[in-house]
Amino acid sequence: MDNREFFASIDIGSSKIIMLIAEIENDKIHVFAHAIGESLGVKNGVITSLDLTTKSVQAVIGKIEKTCKERVINVNININDLHLSSSNQNRPISFGDKVKVVTKEDISKAIQNASAGAVAANKKRLDPIVNNFTIDDQIVEHPIGLEAQVLGANVHLVSVSNQALSGVTNCLNGCELGTDKVVLDSIASSTVCVTQEQKDEGVCLLDIGASISNITVFSKGGASFSHVFKFGGNTITDHIAQAYNTSFEEAERLKLAYGVLQPKATLKDCLIEFEQINSSEKYYLSLYELITTIEDSYREIYSLVKKSLKAEKLDRALKAGIIIIGGASKIENCESFFLKEFRIRTKIAKINRELVSGNEELLTDIGYLSAFGLLTYNTSEAYLQETEQVQKVGLFGKMKGLLEL
């Protein structure tokens, strides 16, 4: 791998940790090494035991080093936080009465000016997510090299708790890794499963994780709203455990073995044997009752999302509908269930094969979307190149140019 540029991502979730290493090959990001391991010390998406999580990440790094001898120095990493807050800003800068050619320095000043503002003492702001720019009130994507009198940057700002951010950075430090970018989980995933056309029309990306779920709404071409909910796949398992007085492990088994949404009319009811807590007796439950319990849990997710969207007046602004990802979206008929609930276009996400390549099992597993998205995240900064450059080069040129900045 001499003289080959490569880069890496680490996805720290509540149940698993994924690491990918990639390079540019055939104008795509090609993943040539990967590893997955158990996630310990993470609760509701936030690192609560630095020692346990660091050891978990080190274990994954150890796995990947067995197949890849290259030493990773910096990585892109995801972040989630129940205390997350988001906003959108654009505070244009004026060049006075003069018209000047926009430079990279001007872009930096515009983004900095748009991102200005007070942040709560217990929070820190992530790098701004740049949606587009305005030149004399006209929206443009690549302003460098164009003439302007007034330049603005439309940015989506995300703030997270100090605990969440320090947990991620300290974990990487403990693994002797540096941080290239810390990216909100749903924003990272969106880069490989949400198209620009969908962002223009209005779309909501719903990620149902193990212990939390999050949404990011895209409208008018860029991110406009982000939110995190304390509800995930483990919550559904807890509901089953409480309903039938069984352990979490037994409830998880029942969910994975028999879980389905909107069962077909041909599915016949039957009795399922299961174990209750502190009992050696045999117990049975109805398959239909189990399915009802599971559906009620998923309906609760729908209610949380619907309420959040309505509060932001975004529930009717999603012409491209809902895109669903996350481990809990793998349950049978998830797509049709949420289609019926939301009553708008709804589909399970698929990875954009024009951007990435690699192991087919990874490319078809939506559990890897965030890790893949983190690898491609730098391409979202293509605005740092001139319009002519962007038009002439593909992903390889964009990535190479941005890596050299």
Side-chain angles (χ1 to χ4, degrees):
M1 293 183 59
D2 293 340
N3 300 320
R4 287 160 66 183
E5 291 190 50
F6 64 97
F7 37 99
S9 67
I10 293 181
D11 170 6
I12 298 181
S14 296
S15 62
K16 65 182 183 301
I17 294 171
I18 296 172
M19 183 174 185
L20 302 179
I21 303 180
E23 62 182 336
I24 301 295
E25 184 179 280
N26 298 325
D27 203 27
K28 293 183 180 181
I29 292 176
H30 177 72
V31 173
F32 61 84
H34 71 279
I36 185 170
E38 184 181 9
S39 178
L40 299 176
V42 179
K43 183 177 181 180
N44 296 328
V46 176
I47 295 174
T48 55
S49 174
L50 181 60
D51 183 56
L52 284 177
T53 308
T54 301
K55 288 180 179 178
S56 297
V57 174
Q58 288 172 337
V60 172
I61 294 173
K63 288 182 181 180
I64 211 166
E65 287 180 343
K66 292 181 180 179
T67 58
C68 172
K69 302 303 179 183
E70 293 288 345
R71 174 64 180 166
V72 173
I73 299 176
N74 296 308
V75 300
N76 283 359
I77 191 166
N78 63 330
I79 192 168
N80 266 315
D81 184 16
L82 287 170
H83 302 290
L84 170 148
S85 58
S86 70
S87 63
N88 305 290
Q89 292 185 174
N90 182 8
R91 294 174 176 150
I93 59 173
S94 174
F95 300 121
D97 296 328
K98 298 180 180 179
V99 175
K100 72 177 299 267
V101 176
V102 177
T103 65
K104 291 179 182 176
E105 290 73 21
D106 297 325
I107 291 295
S108 296
K109 290 179 182 178
I111 294 173
Q112 183 177 8
N113 197 57
S115 306
V119 182
N122 62 342
K123 286 189 175 183
K124 289 186 180 178
R125 186 171 284 163
L126 301 181
D127 288 345
I129 300 159
V130 180
N131 291 328
N132 51 49
F133 296 87
T134 55
I135 287 184
D136 303 333
D137 294 328
Q138 296 296 314
I139 295 177
V140 298
E141 293 184 7
H142 310 289
I144 295 179
L146 301 180
E147 292 185 342
Q149 189 171 354
V150 178
L151 174 66
N154 293 310
V155 298
H156 181 59
L157 302 175
V158 175
S159 297
V160 296
S161 65
N162 293 335
Q163 178 189 3
L165 187 57
S166 63
V168 167
T169 55
N170 289 338
C171 177
L172 291 185
N173 290 338
C175 297
E176 299 182 350
L177 291 173
T179 307
D180 274 336
K181 299 236 179 239
V182 178
V183 187
L184 181 64
D185 194 51
S186 54
I187 293 293
S189 299
S190 72
T191 62
V192 288
C193 69
V194 181
T195 67
Q196 187 58 49
E197 182 180 0
Q198 289 168 331
K199 292 178 181 179
D200 293 338
E201 292 181 350
V203 67
C204 175
L205 180 63
L206 166 60
D207 183 350
I208 311 174
S211 60
I212 59 173
S213 297
N214 59 73
I215 60 171
T216 289
V217 175
F218 299 87
S219 60
K220 298 180 181 179
S224 59
F225 177 65
S226 299
H227 191 65
V228 180
F229 307 93
K230 189 178 180 181
F231 199 108
N234 290 345
T235 315
I236 300 166
T237 304
D238 283 333
H239 286 178
I240 297 171
Q242 293 169 14
Y244 301 104
N245 190 33
T246 189
S247 66
F248 181 90
E249 291 74 20
E250 180 69 345
E252 183 74 4
R253 182 189 70 81
L254 292 171
K255 183 180 73 173
L256 296 178
Y258 303 100
V260 62
L261 299 173
Q262 290 189 323
K264 296 179 181 178
T266 54
L267 182 66
K268 295 181 179 181
D269 195 10
C270 64
L271 294 178
I272 303 170
E273 184 178 335
F274 74 103
E275 298 177 356
Q276 287 194 335
I277 297 174
N278 300 325
S279 177
S280 58
E281 295 183 25
K282 291 183 178 181
Y283 290 88
Y284 297 88
L285 61 85
S286 161
L287 173 60
Y288 281 5
E289 288 182 3
L290 175 62
I291 292 173
T292 298
T293 300
I294 293 173
E295 285 189 338
D296 287 345
S297 296
Y298 277 87
R299 200 164 282 112
E300 189 171 339
I301 297 176
Y302 155 76
S303 297
L304 289 170
V305 174
K306 184 70 174 180
K307 182 179 179 181
S308 182
L309 293 175
K310 191 172 183 178
E312 297 295 323
K313 299 181 180 179
L314 292 168
D315 52 321
R316 297 185 180 181
L318 306 176
K319 292 183 179 179
I322 308 282
I323 297 176
I324 307 172
I325 60 175
S329 67
K330 295 179 180 180
I331 190 169
E332 187 177 345
N333 298 333
C334 182
E335 183 175 305
S336 59
F337 176 84
F338 279 114
L339 174 61
K340 180 180 178 181
E341 296 297 321
F342 283 109
R343 297 183 181 180
I344 57 175
R345 189 185 312 175
T346 305
K347 66 177 184 177
I348 303 297
K350 291 184 179 180
I351 199 164
N352 186 346
R353 300 298 186 99
E354 295 182 1
L355 293 179
V356 296
S357 63
N359 185 301
E360 186 64 21
E361 290 186 7
L362 305 188
L363 293 171
T364 55
D365 187 341
I366 56 177
Y368 283 83
L369 280 176
S370 180
F372 273 110
L374 287 166
L375 291 174
T376 68
Y377 188 73
N378 286 334
T379 60
S380 65
E381 297 182 350
Y383 57 78
L384 292 175
Q385 295 179 336
E386 294 187 24
T387 304
E388 291 78 5
Q389 289 178 304
V390 175
Q391 293 173 342
K392 290 179 181 179
V393 302
L395 177 62
F396 174 77
K398 293 179 185 179
M399 286 294 293
K400 186 176 181 180
L402 291 169
L403 289 170
E404 291 174 351
L405 289 175

